[in-house]
Amino acid sequence: MKILLIHNKYQHKGGEDSVFEDEKRLLESQGHQIITYMRDNEEIHNYNFFQKLLFPFRTLYCRKTYKELDHLIKKETPDIAHFHNFFPLISPSAYYACKDNKVKIVQTLHNFRLICPQAMFLRDNKVCELCLKKKNSFCAVKYGCYRHSKVLTFILALMLKIHKKTFMNVIDHYIALTDFNRNKFIEAGFSADKIIVKPNFIVKPIPHGSKKEDFGVYLGRLSEEKGIATLVKSWELIDFPIHVFGDGPLKKLVENKPNVIYHGQKPIEECLDMIKKARFLVLSSECYEGFPKTILEAFSVATPVISSNIGNMKHIIDGKRTGLLFSPGDPDDLRRKVEWMIAHPKEARQMGVNAFNEYKEKYTAEKNYALLMDIYSKVRKQRVLLIHDQYVSRGGEDSMFLMEKDLLERKGHEVIVYSRDNKETERYNWIQILLFPFNTLFSVKTYLDIRRLIKYRLPDIVYFHNTFPLISPSAYFACKGVPTIQRLPNFRLICPKAYLFRNNKICELCLEHNNPFIGVKYKCYRNSKILTFLVALMLKLHDKTYKNRIDCFLPNSQIVKDKFIQAGYDEKKLVVKPNFTEGDLEPTFKKGKFAIYVGRLSVEKGIHTLVAAWKGIDFPLEVYGAGPLKSLLMGHKNIIYKGPKPNDECLKRIRKAKFMIFSSEWNETFGISMIEAFSVGTPVLASRIGNMKYVIKDGVSGKFFEPGNIDDLKQKVLFMIRHDTVLMGKNAYKDYLDKYTPDVNYDNLITAFENAKN
């Protein structure tokens, strides 16, 4: 993988710089190609007067950064961009350079910079969450939280205000170091789904095993927020040495104190060697720490940690298992915890062992690399905008929409949904009713909604299911610049009725004459000439919209593909992707002595033919569904009408049935119940019409009869009753595994996504 690492180095090298270098080396050691874009705060010292004058504005948006990154990305084409620190030189312009080049972005949240001007929720050396609670970073200006300057704090707060949507929407995923940090960002309004916890790690731990010596260690900055005053006060009554490493404004507090041995700033190797030998490490912070590496360094050499119970610490240190926690700012509580650790050397050693095991389990380079790759994998998954207009009576298209949404989410994609519901029309006032036909032709609301979604959510692909009547073709115009796919479960784009069906018979007049207005004469849509005219007008006006603005079509069957080719659609854009079913039930080949029908009870479904054929057949037929021809089922000895039932109940009966009947007399595009039967090993007896001939293999996974032919249906039913259908059921199940599982469907979908993008 080619990874672009972006980081603004601090003037005084700190933990973030170390983590950046550690991750860079780790990724390189695993064979990844690393490109870096870095700026260094030391640059500021060399600025002339004008550069210093412009510096605050460049913090808001730096064109130099944008141009340099844009050039670098075009040259190197990275797979992913991983940000560490962008402040102050790089600026948020870097995110837009990545966005405009369609590079996915990961941001490590080392601190709270995106929601707090001071970055650590600290004011006057005390924890302060005022900006977070009020969701207003300008609260900090009054107190001059950034570098004790109201002007600088205002500029920083302005950056956070201007780029709030940048941070929330342009960045694809965030890495929080602990659950505590993650929860703070969620509280600030960031999406919980986009924040993944990945702690820091140690690249090469110091080998441990030497005997612990009688002293403690403090390693860190000597300042008020680090709790140095609390540490020194507590040690006044502790007769046990502590070695202090570090520098800062309060270093005089640790000089010449009994049992406090001050070493000043020392090389990290010398400090780590002392931690390795120490009985315990003390971390006395009174502010929210990010993720102190000294804790991991102590864990890696089996040294337990005594820490203040604030912020992240309780998420890192397990009290009485890997260390002890004391109340922040309470010297008496710290003294009690230190004295307990001194008085219980055996328990302290066990804590050290537990700490080392914790390190091995969570904080090694190997563990961290696996977490990082998992995050990169999730980010590289395409972000999909699903668009669907729900029907008043929920049907197969609505079910397939939800199934594909769930499938994409299970596979790690971020799914954005834009959905409208035809039930909205039931609440329309008279003005909305008057405008409704025109909105069907082009909905301004839809256009603006989707443009806004695309601008802020940045989908990689837009996948349309149904756009009629509320969403309208305006949605396709809104998706300019984003690859689009249109699922074709019916003939809506070429036929006002959507099913090439009229007066309960197949009708292809509009298709044959390439003129949807033919449907007006016959009132094909909802038995209304006016409504049919409006639908035909939509099809005529937007014929080129469909053919030119949609990048790829997914007909759910070969027959749908053939009809759209006949209507003048580009064959190269039409990729057959059949429906699928979850296959929740295991198949069985020990079948019961009954047949089953599941579906609508109407003429086009061939119910009249099925009932007539069943006369004289001494074999039970269970019927599930509802519709206008329900009365035909009554009074028949061997037809057992069960009414409409939940899908899972129907599937259990399909699983037990000897065979299923599919008696349609119209160009059924894809009967989902067929593949549900296949998924439980039940063969299908179907009319040879529409897509059935592409799904069922005659004599292999089922049998065919001629549509509307009562005698032929009766003969095939008797054949299925008298013969063993187990082999057919096994072949049907094999077809399901080969063609109609969620995994097969997902592979087909990803292929379609790539086709659309190319």
Side-chain angles (χ1 to χ4, degrees):
M1 195 186 303
K2 190 182 282 189
I3 302 160
L4 172 59
L5 294 181
I6 297 170
H7 183 53
N8 197 136
K9 292 175 71 175
Y10 291 83
Q11 282 180 309
H12 303 291
K13 185 176 179 180
E16 290 184 45
D17 298 311
S18 297
V19 171
F20 173 80
E21 293 295 337
D22 288 347
E23 283 195 352
K24 178 177 177 289
R25 283 193 293 270
L26 177 62
L27 289 166
E28 286 173 334
S29 72
Q30 297 295 326
H32 297 282
Q33 185 178 345
I34 303 301
I35 311 141
T36 58
Y37 180 79
M38 298 179 68
R39 302 283 300 273
D40 193 324
N41 284 348
E42 289 292 335
E43 293 176 29
I44 300 168
H45 294 307
N46 300 319
Y47 277 7
N48 60 35
F49 173 76
F50 292 104
Q51 287 175 311
K52 289 180 179 177
L53 194 65
L54 292 172
F55 175 53
F57 304 101
R58 287 177 176 165
T59 298
L60 302 177
Y61 190 98
C62 179
R63 290 194 59 81
K64 169 182 164 68
T65 292
Y66 182 92
K67 288 179 180 178
E68 289 178 349
L69 260 181
D70 181 63
H71 176 74
L72 182 63
I73 291 169
K74 283 180 168 61
K75 178 185 174 184
E76 299 289 350
T77 62
D79 298 302
I80 205 159
H82 187 163
F83 285 72
H84 283 260
N85 176 41
F86 69 85
F87 182 79
L89 297 173
I90 290 176
S91 90
S93 66
Y95 298 118
Y96 288 96
C98 295
K99 171 196 168 185
D100 293 345
N101 286 281
K102 300 190 185 314
V103 177
K104 296 295 184 72
I105 300 169
V106 174
Q107 171 72 62
T108 295
L109 302 169
H110 291 282
N111 51 39
F112 303 103
R113 172 73 67 203
L114 305 190
I115 53 179
C116 166
Q118 194 273 338
M120 293 300 293
F121 289 133
L122 193 69
R123 176 165 59 88
D124 297 331
N125 297 312
K126 304 288 182 187
V127 171
C128 171
E129 296 187 4
L130 191 62
C131 293
L132 175 64
K133 300 300 182 190
K134 295 198 172 185
K135 291 184 169 51
N136 182 4
S137 53
F138 287 103
C139 294
V141 177
K142 176 182 177 181
Y143 304 101
C145 290
Y146 182 66
R147 299 208 169 194
H148 306 291
S149 165
K150 290 185 178 182
V151 174
L152 292 178
T153 305
F154 173 80
I155 291 168
L156 198 50
L158 183 62
M159 179 194 74
L160 298 183
K161 182 71 174 177
I162 291 172
H163 290 289
K164 183 177 180 180
K165 288 185 177 178
T166 304
F167 303 142
M168 289 186 171
N169 298 325
V170 176
I171 297 168
D172 295 287
H173 267 73
Y174 313 89
I175 296 174
L177 302 181
T178 66
D179 286 315
F180 177 84
N181 288 21
R182 179 176 185 269
N183 292 336
K184 290 298 177 188
F185 277 91
I186 293 170
E187 187 180 342
F190 283 66
S191 170
D193 293 337
K194 291 171 72 171
I195 309 176
I196 302 169
V197 174
K198 182 191 78 67
N200 289 335
F201 67 101
I202 301 295
V203 181
K204 290 182 179 179
I206 299 170
H208 74 281
S210 60
K211 185 179 177 183
K212 297 293 184 182
E213 298 180 19
D214 289 335
F215 62 84
V217 166
Y218 171 90
L219 170 61
R221 180 169 164 77
L222 307 178
S223 55
E224 188 174 346
E225 76 275 7
K226 294 293 185 177
I228 288 300
T230 301
L231 175 68
V232 170
K233 186 168 181 58
S234 69
W235 231 266
E236 289 174 357
L237 299 174
I238 297 173
D239 187 19
F240 194 81
I242 184 166
H243 292 263
V244 175
F245 297 85
D247 199 359
L250 298 188
K251 74 176 182 179
K252 288 189 177 181
L253 284 183
V254 296
E255 292 175 339
N256 304 314
K257 290 288 192 294
N259 293 315
V260 177
I261 303 125
Y262 177 53
H263 296 270
Q265 198 85 39
K266 294 292 181 183
I268 189 65
E269 293 77 17
E270 184 177 331
C271 299
L272 295 180
D273 186 57
M274 290 295 284
I275 292 174
K276 175 184 169 185
K277 296 173 183 176
R279 289 268 295 275
F280 52 84
L281 174 78
V282 177
L283 206 135
S284 52
S285 289
E286 294 171 15
C287 65
Y288 294 157
E289 295 278 2
F291 195 112
K293 283 186 70 178
T294 50
I295 296 178
L296 304 188
E297 287 159 347
F299 279 16
S300 74
V301 292
T303 298
V305 179
I306 301 174
S307 171
S308 51
N309 187 7
I310 189 171
N312 287 317
M313 299 312 145
K314 62 186 175 189
H315 296 279
I316 305 171
I317 298 160
D318 188 348
K320 294 196 175 179
R321 201 181 74 83
T322 59
L324 297 173
L325 297 169
F326 69 93
S327 298
D330 186 341
D332 293 332
D333 194 29
L334 171 56
R335 177 176 51 78
R336 285 192 291 270
K337 298 300 163 56
V338 170
E339 288 174 344
W340 187 94
M341 193 74 82
I342 295 167
H344 297 81
K346 183 178 177 181
E347 289 85 348
R349 279 194 299 273
Q350 184 57 49
M351 283 184 183
V353 171
N354 295 339
F356 180 66
N357 290 335
E358 187 97 344
Y359 158 75
K360 287 194 298 182
E361 185 182 331
K362 297 180 180 178
Y363 305 121
T364 64
E366 294 77 17
K367 296 285 185 183
N368 205 271
Y369 175 72
L371 287 172
L372 192 55
M373 285 302 102
D374 185 52
I375 293 166
Y376 285 174
S377 175
K378 286 179 180 176
V379 172
R380 292 185 71 194
K381 294 276 189 184
Q382 289 162 321
R383 184 184 288 139
V384 184
L385 171 57
L386 285 183
I387 296 179
H388 182 55
D389 202 320
Q390 295 183 62
Y391 292 82
V392 174
S393 301
R394 301 293 185 256
E397 290 184 48
D398 299 307
S399 297
M400 191 52 57
F401 169 76
L402 293 173
M403 287 169 66
E404 289 200 320
K405 174 183 176 290
D406 291 343
L407 176 62
L408 287 166
E409 288 176 334
R410 287 203 308 269
K411 294 294 185 179
H413 294 271
E414 182 183 345
V415 177
I416 311 152
V417 173
Y418 181 77
S419 180
R420 296 191 64 183
D421 192 328
N422 283 337
K423 289 181 180 178
E424 289 178 29
T425 57
E426 296 170 1
R427 302 187 297 273
Y428 276 8
N429 58 39
W430 70 270
I431 297 174
Q432 289 173 307
I433 292 170
L434 195 66
L435 292 174
F436 177 52
F438 304 100
N439 286 333
T440 298
L441 300 178
F442 193 99
S443 169
V444 175
K445 170 181 166 52
T446 291
Y447 179 86
L448 295 175
D449 286 348
I450 293 178
R451 284 307 300 166
R452 195 177 300 112
L453 265 179
I454 288 172
K455 180 180 179 181
Y456 292 116
R457 300 300 299 275
L458 305 172
D460 299 296
I461 199 113
V462 181
Y463 184 18
F464 289 88
H465 278 244
N466 176 41
T467 60
F468 182 79
L470 296 174
I471 289 176
S472 90
S474 67
Y476 303 114
F477 291 89
C479 295
K480 183 180 178 181
V482 183
T484 52
I485 291 177
Q486 173 68 62
R487 184 172 178 269
L488 298 175
N490 54 40
F491 306 102
R492 170 70 66 200
L493 305 190
I494 55 177
C495 166
K497 189 173 177 64
Y499 293 109
L500 299 176
F501 199 70
R502 176 170 59 85
N503 295 333
N504 299 317
K505 301 225 178 270
I506 292 172
C507 172
E508 298 186 2
L509 279 175
C510 294
L511 177 62
E512 290 165 1
H513 295 277
N514 193 27
N515 182 7
F517 289 104
I518 292 173
V520 177
K521 176 182 176 181
Y522 303 102
K523 300 187 287 188
C524 289
Y525 182 66
R526 299 212 170 188
N527 203 30
S528 165
K529 285 188 177 182
I530 294 174
L531 293 178
T532 307
F533 173 80
L534 288 167
V535 177
L537 181 62
M538 179 190 75
L539 298 183
K540 192 69 175 176
L541 287 174
H542 291 290
D543 182 59
K544 288 186 178 179
T545 303
Y546 304 139
K547 290 175 179 175
N548 298 331
R549 288 189 175 270
I550 299 169
D551 298 298
C552 182
F553 299 91
L554 298 183
N556 65 1
S557 62
Q558 186 63 42
I559 189 169
V560 176
K561 178 179 179 178
D562 292 343
K563 297 301 179 187
F564 273 84
I565 292 171
Q566 186 180 338
Y569 282 69
D570 185 350
E571 184 175 357
K572 293 177 182 176
K573 285 186 172 185
L574 292 156
V575 180
V576 175
K577 187 193 75 64
N579 292 338
F580 71 100
T581 188
E582 291 289 349
D584 293 328
L585 294 178
E586 287 292 319
T588 181
F589 303 105
K590 293 180 180 179
K591 301 296 185 181
K593 293 182 178 180
F594 66 94
I596 192 167
Y597 170 89
V598 178
R600 182 167 164 76
L601 309 178
S602 54
V603 173
E604 74 274 11
K605 294 290 187 177
I607 287 297
H608 55 297
T609 303
L610 177 60
V611 171
W614 217 264
K615 288 179 181 177
I617 293 178
D618 188 20
F619 194 79
L621 170 66
E622 292 187 5
V623 177
Y624 294 82
L629 299 188
K630 180 175 77 171
S631 60
L632 290 182
L633 305 174
M634 305 308 173
H636 287 269
K637 177 184 174 184
N638 289 309
I639 297 179
I640 304 127
Y641 177 54
K642 298 285 190 175
K645 298 289 182 183
N647 189 63
D648 56 347
E649 189 175 326
C650 294
L651 187 57
K652 288 176 183 176
R653 294 306 291 166
I654 293 171
R655 182 173 179 265
K656 290 289 186 181
K658 188 173 187 189
F659 60 94
M660 181 184 212
I661 296 181
F662 213 86
S663 52
S664 286
E665 295 178 11
W666 68 291
N667 281 325
E668 190 94 43
T669 59
F670 202 105
I672 192 75
S673 55
M674 274 194 297
I675 57 172
E676 287 176 335
F678 280 19
S679 76
V680 291
T682 299
V684 178
L685 171 59
S687 51
R688 193 192 303 268
I689 193 170
N691 191 50
M692 266 66 87
K693 57 181 177 280
Y694 298 106
V695 179
I696 297 164
K697 297 171 186 171
D698 197 16
V700 178
S701 57
K703 291 289 285 184
F704 283 126
F705 70 92
E706 294 306 314
N709 190 320
I710 296 169
D711 292 334
D712 192 31
L713 173 54
K714 180 172 284 193
Q715 290 303 315
K716 298 300 167 57
V717 168
L718 292 172
F719 176 90
M720 296 294 281
I721 292 169
R722 292 167 182 167
H723 290 79
D724 189 348
T725 60
V726 170
L727 183 57
M728 282 187 185
K730 289 181 177 178
N731 291 332
Y733 181 61
K734 184 178 183 302
D735 272 358
Y736 164 73
L737 294 177
D738 290 343
K739 301 176 184 177
Y740 308 118
T741 64
D743 285 342
V744 172
N745 183 81
Y746 176 72
D747 291 341
N748 292 336
L749 201 52
I750 295 304
T751 300
F753 286 176
E754 294 306 316
N755 288 345
K757 292 171 84 172
N758 295 330

